[in-house]
Amino acid sequence: MGFLKKFFKNTYRDGQPRHGRSSFDNLTEEQLETHLRIARYGSFTLTDAVRPSYDLQVVPQSGYRHDHYHDRETGIRVPVLMASVSREKVLDVYFDLLDQLGTSVDVVLETSHERRGGHQDLYREEIDLPILKSILYDFEDLLLDDGCTGLAVLNPNIPLEVQFDEHKLLIMYGENLVDFQDILDEYGLEAREEMKFITEAEHVHSSSEDFARQFEQLKCRLGIDED
């Protein structure tokens, strides 16, 4: 029952079920717990941060696809590269992607702890990338397994941004994403332009009070003051 509580008692943001009905409706506790304990799908392993719908509307897999972000206010379309990477190497890939941003970067911490249906962005400007990476290495468990913590690192002077979101997807924004794609290719990820990500169907997030405390510690280490 402890594992079940981790997902449902401490979940703050759920993906929207299709047609207003959830695939988790009318399941027994045993069925729920069995599903939530499954982390491996073929050669792909999820972190503990998120689980797909019970009926597997999207089956987790490794790969990447190209997309665009459309800013409705300005009308600007920004190229996007989205990637899903298995647990055992996702942080290695993320840290290698960060090296493309230069030596000084801005950081955005994303949190949905104690929130439902939304999140808060916390900013820290101008931190040396080696210092940032050293701090993040101390919080690997939080970054990997907390479904209420996300992180974006950007260089507004280029401009490029690399996000490691609450679903543990890697999302890159910028006009020139070739170097990022080269890194994904080096890690053996395949371009799958028709692939669907876990965010595009019903899913559940996992968090805990301990992760919420660790998030506060990370915020302090980064020198972020909400006020």
Side-chain angles (χ1 to χ4, degrees):
M1 184 61 181
F3 195 81
L4 192 65
K5 286 182 178 179
K6 178 181 176 184
F7 277 87
F8 284 92
K9 297 297 184 182
N10 293 311
T11 289
Y12 299 103
R13 296 176 65 195
D14 295 350
Q16 294 299 314
R18 296 175 299 179
H19 311 304
R21 292 186 59 83
S22 170
S23 66
F24 296 100
D25 289 345
N26 303 319
L27 297 180
T28 66
E29 182 177 304
E30 181 179 359
Q31 288 174 317
L32 281 171
E33 188 156 2
T34 297
H35 174 72
L36 296 177
R37 285 188 179 278
I38 298 173
R40 192 170 182 85
Y41 292 86
S43 61
F44 184 89
T45 303
L46 288 163
T47 75
D48 287 346
V50 68
R51 288 292 184 268
S53 63
Y54 185 77
D55 56 356
L56 294 180
Q57 298 160 23
V58 171
V59 178
Q61 63 176 322
S62 294
Y64 66 86
R65 81 172 192 223
H66 298 83
D67 212 323
H68 284 85
Y69 168 74
H70 182 230
D71 189 320
R72 294 182 179 180
E73 292 185 2
T74 64
I76 295 175
R77 283 168 57 88
V78 179
V80 175
L81 194 58
M82 296 183 64
S84 176
V85 184
S86 189
R87 176 193 179 94
E88 64 272 10
K89 57 185 178 182
V90 65
L91 279 182
D92 290 337
V93 176
Y94 185 60
F95 288 134
D96 283 353
L97 293 171
L98 294 184
D99 289 337
Q100 308 306 308
L101 298 179
T103 58
S104 180
V105 295
D106 295 352
V107 182
V108 182
L109 280 183
E110 178 181 308
T111 173
S112 56
H113 298 104
E114 300 180 359
R115 290 171 176 265
R116 288 186 178 273
H119 67 269
Q120 181 181 16
D121 291 334
L122 306 172
Y123 294 84
R124 159 69 194 268
E125 296 181 346
E126 295 185 354
I127 183 172
D128 290 341
L129 182 59
I131 294 175
L132 172 63
K133 291 171 73 172
S134 177
I135 293 172
L136 296 180
Y137 278 124
D138 291 337
F139 291 88
E140 286 191 20
D141 290 344
L142 174 71
L143 296 175
L144 275 176
D145 292 323
D146 183 24
C148 290
T149 292
L151 175 72
V153 181
L154 60 146
N155 185 334
N157 297 317
I158 301 180
L160 290 171
E161 176 178 334
V162 184
Q163 183 180 9
F164 186 45
D165 79 350
E166 293 180 333
H167 310 87
K168 312 314 165 187
L169 298 176
L170 301 176
I171 309 171
M172 293 136 273
Y173 301 86
E175 289 299 327
N176 188 350
L177 302 175
V178 173
D179 290 340
F180 293 136
Q181 182 172 327
D182 287 344
I183 291 172
L184 299 180
D185 291 339
E186 289 172 3
Y187 274 93
L189 296 178
E190 297 182 7
R192 305 176 188 271
E193 300 301 341
E194 302 301 321
M195 78 177 291
K196 296 294 184 182
F197 294 96
I198 199 168
T199 52
E200 297 175 290
E202 183 187 14
H203 58 278
V204 290
H205 292 242
S206 167
S207 189
S208 67
E209 292 181 359
D210 182 57
F211 278 145
R213 286 191 293 269
Q214 289 185 41
F215 182 88
E216 292 299 314
Q217 294 169 8
L218 174 58
K219 189 174 68 174
C220 290
R221 289 279 300 276
L222 290 174
I224 293 176
D225 186 351
E226 293 183 52
D227 299 329

